[in-house]
Amino acid sequence: MSHGPDDLHGPFEGPEKLLEIWFSPSPDDVPDAASPDSSGRTGLRKVDRNVWEEMLNIVKCQVLSVVYGDDMDAYLLSESSFFVSPHRLILKTCGTTLNLLGLPRILEIAATRANMHSVYRCFYSRKSFMFPERQLGPHRDWKQEVEYLDNIFATGAAYTVGKVNGDHWLLYLTNPGDTSLPEVPPIDPDPCDSQWLPTDYTIEILMSNLSASARAPFFSSLSPSDDPHTHAAALSQQLGILNIFPPQVTKLDAYTFSPCGYSANALVKWGDELTSENKVSVGVKSDKSREGYYTIHVTPEEGWSYASFECNVPSYASNKNRSIPDLKTLIQRVVSIFQPGRLSLTLFISSQDNDTAEESVEAAQRAFRMALVDPQIAVHFSRGDMSLSNARGPPTYRRTDKINYEFGGYDLAFASFELIG
């Protein structure tokens, strides 16, 4: 990750601040849904890049590159990522960035550039900081962050999930702010039905204490003639990052930082009708194909090593497309690359049916446990490291926390694990 002037003289804060703002329930509900521009863009995707860059200057980060997809645009930042959909923005920033200070400008841009004058829902979350004393502005303390958001939103609620004196996850969310907007359609509980799709689904894997062998590839001394994107592309293939999802449906944008660090955004095509010939590069889009994302950020320094993985491609897609990994396989693929000593997982999923939601989060908890406690996890560690082995041989984890939460229209599965050894 990019280190700012203050970070050069001390540890870098890897855990990100994640701000997600919905201005309508879906792309079909934005004011100009029926009148796209010549490129097919509607809503917030019509806003010029330079306008977003001006907002990001407030946050204290810069755009490194952009990938334009069919349904969303992925901005790779000097400190993490920014995703723009017609109806939604996701701003994820690490280090000492001032994430929340960008919110007032985002609301102004949405109103003046996209005719969106109200927020449907807002979510702000983060893992507990490693070095909270280094944060700036409202990010110095969770209470200050909550107060800042409460001054903007009247319907917000704040939660702490996990051990206050250990790794925990902090969440602030609002209820739908405009009752005149159409309700999100209910989810069909039958995953075999072709119409069954979760409205919103996000998995996060937050990893710390990475093994020495997993950290080593993310140190590099690039010469002025080296292209950080080209270097990162080769590294992504070498480590298996490109194969987390099938390469033929993945559009990856990665960057290597010098002397260390790595970031990547990926747009992933998924859906019933995608085949090996239906490649991203061709730009083929069927009625049933959809576009999701994943993003990875790595801080490899010993003492504060950290890697994060976030993805909104639902694991249920694997029921229709076997090339899409199920949740257990996805977790194992990610964990095998970074080999953490500790990790937290969150699955945040929307639901209109409490019984279905309970089944979904319990299924997620089972997948978490099977992925990490099952001895077969050993076969996924491609670069052996003796520090990962306990007395019995293969690397195994034990669960240290399991929490399920029910919010208004959303449900959360949270679990934390640590390496045995």
Side-chain angles (χ1 to χ4, degrees):
M1 305 302 298
S2 174
H3 289 215
D6 293 337
D7 299 312
L8 293 175
H9 305 290
F12 185 80
E13 186 70 67
E16 300 96 343
K17 314 165 183 85
L18 178 58
L19 177 66
E20 183 169 336
I21 312 168
W22 293 56
F23 292 92
S24 66
S26 76
D28 294 335
D29 299 309
V30 300
D32 62 349
S35 55
D37 65 14
S38 59
S39 300
R41 300 171 185 275
T42 60
L44 297 164
R45 295 187 71 203
K46 286 185 176 179
V47 177
D48 291 338
R49 169 176 169 169
N50 66 302
V51 176
W52 294 129
E53 288 181 325
E54 178 268 332
M55 179 275 295
L56 292 168
N57 286 337
I58 299 172
V59 177
K60 305 300 183 186
C61 57
Q62 293 79 44
V63 174
L64 301 175
S65 55
V66 187
V67 170
Y68 298 101
D70 289 337
D71 301 332
M72 70 178 73
D73 305 320
Y75 289 71
L76 197 62
L77 306 180
S78 55
E79 283 84 6
S80 300
S81 300
F82 179 52
F83 294 92
V84 181
S85 299
H87 64 303
R88 176 187 65 184
L89 298 175
I90 300 172
L91 177 60
K92 184 170 190 170
T93 63
C94 59
T96 56
T97 51
L98 298 167
N99 185 297
L100 289 179
L101 295 192
L103 178 56
R105 180 58 180 145
I106 288 173
L107 300 181
E108 181 183 5
I109 292 170
T112 59
R113 303 279 181 150
N115 195 28
M116 298 180 182
H117 298 275
S118 62
V119 172
Y120 177 65
R121 297 202 75 154
C122 180
F123 307 87
Y124 174 73
S125 64
R126 64 172 175 83
K127 181 183 179 294
S128 49
F129 288 134
M130 295 181 181
F131 309 102
E133 70 281 358
R134 296 177 60 81
Q135 293 299 314
L136 305 172
H139 301 293
R140 293 186 179 94
D141 180 76
W142 175 236
K143 182 179 178 181
Q144 292 183 39
E145 291 173 309
V146 172
E147 289 176 349
Y148 185 90
L149 289 162
D150 277 345
N151 286 331
I152 298 174
F153 300 110
T155 62
Y159 301 86
T160 298
V161 182
K163 299 173 183 175
V164 176
N165 60 344
D167 282 346
H168 56 274
W169 192 67
L170 302 162
L171 171 67
Y172 182 99
L173 75 166
T174 67
N175 292 319
D178 185 350
T179 55
S180 66
L181 290 170
E183 294 184 359
V184 178
I187 297 174
D188 185 334
D190 181 6
C192 296
D193 188 293
S194 62
Q195 300 301 313
W196 185 82
L197 286 170
T199 303
D200 189 24
Y201 176 108
T202 304
I203 176 73
E204 284 190 277
I205 307 174
L206 310 177
M207 299 163 280
S208 58
N209 291 10
L210 313 184
S211 75
S213 61
R215 293 188 291 106
F218 298 103
F219 288 85
S220 59
S221 298
L222 301 181
S223 69
S225 61
D226 291 331
D227 179 13
H229 287 94
T230 301
H231 183 276
L235 184 63
S236 302
Q237 186 166 13
Q238 171 194 338
L239 299 180
I241 291 172
L242 185 59
N243 294 312
I244 292 175
F245 285 89
Q248 69 269 20
V249 298
T250 303
K251 186 185 292 185
L252 183 74
D253 181 24
Y255 192 95
T256 297
F257 295 90
S258 184
C260 65
Y262 170 94
S263 285
N265 288 337
L267 297 181
V268 179
K269 284 291 186 186
W270 63 275
D272 296 352
E273 297 180 0
L274 286 176
T275 65
S276 59
E277 287 76 29
N278 196 231
K279 297 182 180 181
V280 172
S281 59
V282 178
V284 177
K285 182 181 180 183
S286 73
D287 290 339
K288 293 186 179 180
S289 70
R290 293 170 174 84
E291 190 170 61
Y293 72 86
Y294 71 79
T295 183
I296 294 174
H297 304 284
V298 184
T299 300
E301 293 99 321
E302 185 177 7
W304 53 88
S305 62
Y306 175 82
S308 68
F309 174 87
E310 178 188 341
C311 178
N312 77 337
V313 178
S315 61
Y316 312 107
S318 63
N319 293 328
K320 291 292 184 179
N321 186 341
R322 295 299 179 184
S323 66
I324 300 296
D326 60 20
L327 184 56
K328 173 186 172 182
T329 302
L330 178 66
I331 293 168
Q332 289 181 331
R333 287 179 182 178
V334 172
V335 171
S336 70
I337 294 169
F338 299 106
Q339 305 176 9
R342 299 201 318 272
L343 69 156
S344 298
L345 302 98
T346 64
L347 178 68
F348 202 55
I349 184 170
S350 62
S351 176
Q352 302 297 311
D353 184 315
N354 288 340
D355 292 336
T356 302
E358 184 175 351
E359 293 173 4
S360 296
V361 295
E362 277 302 326
Q365 292 286 6
R366 288 194 295 272
F368 293 171
R369 189 177 186 280
M370 290 172 63
L372 296 169
V373 178
D374 187 337
Q376 288 300 312
I377 184 64
V379 305
H380 292 271
F381 285 84
S382 57
R383 297 185 310 282
D385 188 323
M386 291 304 294
S387 67
L388 286 171
S389 300
N390 58 27
R392 292 169 294 175
T396 54
Y397 289 84
R398 70 180 182 94
R399 187 170 61 193
T400 57
D401 227 340
K402 172 192 171 184
I403 300 172
N404 294 339
Y405 244 109
E406 181 181 314
F407 305 102
Y410 277 84
D411 294 273
L412 170 73
F414 170 90
S416 57
F417 294 80
E418 66 181 18
L419 193 69
I420 299 174

